[in-house]
Amino acid sequence: MTLPPDLEDVPARVRALGLALGNPLVFHPETASTNDLAKEAGKSGAPHGTTFVADAQTHGRGRQGRAWTAAPGEALLVSVLFRTPCPLARLPLLSLAAGLAARDAVALALGDDPRALVKWPNDVWVRGANGEGPRKIAGVLVESTLVGGRVESLVVGVGINVVTSDFPDELHARATSLALEGARSVCRGDLLVALLEGLERDVLRTAVHGLAPLHERLARACALTGKRLDTGELSGTCEGIDAEGRLLLRGDDGVLARLVSGEVHVGAVPR
Ligand code: BTN
């Protein structure tokens, strides 16, 4: 499928930067889910770096079985196929690395805006300009295919709200977009190139070295540090992210818990 005008120069830019990701770049006006396309491509032997972008998804998926919805043409919907050796224990760290790369692409589009933050484990939030609560601007879904107990391929799916100005009622107070946050450039091509650069740098480095090389950046970008959190079982105050990517939660009993996965809510869990 030919690329739309705003993505036309991406293959040349990716080549000029020497990136493996984004090559080939496959565009669909509409598909069920770009993650599904990338997973299928992985099974059919597509090369490392194959990247799928769609204008619209009919069955976009988020983490924890949730749906991911975006009006046609209003978000960057992208999935990248990785074929990179990675010990199983490091898989969860790749999600954090992808979230950090997505955060950096969002921050760049907003003019290096430090209000762009990672909401552990891998959402991207933008803090309100006037001290308002943060809103979600992007999400990451990493899915792996294992063969014989080893990682055969990995799909990193990222959805970034680009020009969305109107969200469904239930998301209104919690979601935002680059346009709503005042981005000067809302070109999907620019955003995609920045994202691919970040994913190539951060995901591959984490697969090889673990999280240590990224830890300082991740800790600085953590949206939850200092916030009151609730997991449903535990409530307390977040003390950041440790070098193994665990969320540090100082319980009200004074005990430090290190969360490896799951969902945390700022304030009390809605019950
Ligand atoms: C989340 O916030 O829970 C993760 C959302 C991930 C959405 C992206 S959009 C492109 C790719 N295709 C999908 O079906 N999901 C990811």
Side-chain angles (χ1 to χ4, degrees):
M1 193 68 65
T2 45
L3 298 173
D6 63 338
L7 299 178
E8 237 167 15
D9 66 350
V10 172
R13 292 170 68 185
V14 156
R15 268 196 306 278
L17 289 165
L19 299 181
L21 306 188
N23 182 26
L25 178 63
V26 183
F27 173 76
H28 288 255
E30 182 179 286
T31 187
S33 154
T34 53
N35 263 37
D36 290 347
L37 290 176
K39 274 164 92 174
E40 283 308 313
K43 286 184 200 142
S44 321
H48 173 73
T50 304
T51 299
F52 295 88
V53 176
D55 266 349
Q57 298 183 124
T58 54
H59 294 84
R61 290 183 281 110
R63 292 174 59 244
Q64 316 228 323
R66 284 189 293 254
W68 171 272
T69 51
E74 294 194 346
L76 176 67
L77 308 168
V78 55
S79 298
V80 183
L81 175 69
F82 282 79
R83 293 193 187 278
T84 179
C86 176
L88 280 186
R90 277 198 196 136
L91 268 183
L93 304 183
L94 301 190
S95 280
L96 292 166
L100 186 59
R103 177 266 160 208
D104 283 359
V106 165
L108 189 67
L110 293 174
D112 272 330
D113 195 329
R115 294 183 304 125
L117 299 166
V118 172
K119 191 261 178 175
W120 184 91
N122 55 13
D123 282 350
V124 182
W125 281 4
V126 179
R127 203 187 311 117
N130 306 317
E132 297 147 13
R135 293 172 182 215
K136 179 167 170 170
I137 196 164
V140 175
L141 176 65
V142 177
E143 298 181 297
S144 51
T145 302
L146 307 184
V147 173
R150 63 172 198 89
V151 181
E152 214 240 352
S153 64
L154 194 77
V155 170
V156 176
V158 182
I160 303 178
N161 298 327
V162 179
V163 293
T164 325
S165 58
D166 204 15
F167 290 96
D169 282 353
E170 66 279 12
L171 292 181
H172 220 270
R174 292 185 288 123
T176 190
S177 69
L178 291 173
L180 284 174
E181 296 300 331
R184 280 162 299 168
S185 158
V186 286
C187 167
R188 279 188 309 179
D190 292 347
L191 192 60
L192 179 58
V193 171
L195 179 67
L196 293 171
E197 262 190 294
L199 290 175
E200 184 146 332
R201 181 190 61 222
D202 291 336
V203 174
L204 295 184
R205 197 187 292 171
T206 303
V208 177
H209 300 292
L211 204 61
L214 270 60
H215 179 241
E216 200 187 311
R217 278 169 57 217
L218 191 59
R220 228 182 306 125
C222 178
L224 300 178
T225 305
K227 297 271 183 300
R228 292 281 310 162
L229 301 183
D230 194 336
T231 67
E233 283 164 7
L234 186 64
S235 54
T237 303
C238 178
E239 293 189 354
I241 298 174
D242 74 8
E244 272 83 56
R246 297 172 297 194
L247 191 73
L248 303 173
L249 181 56
R250 178 77 60 187
D252 294 333
D253 56 4
V255 176
L256 186 66
R258 294 169 190 271
L259 310 183
V260 288
S261 63
E263 207 64 354
V264 288
H265 299 262
V266 176
V269 171
R271 291 172 214 272

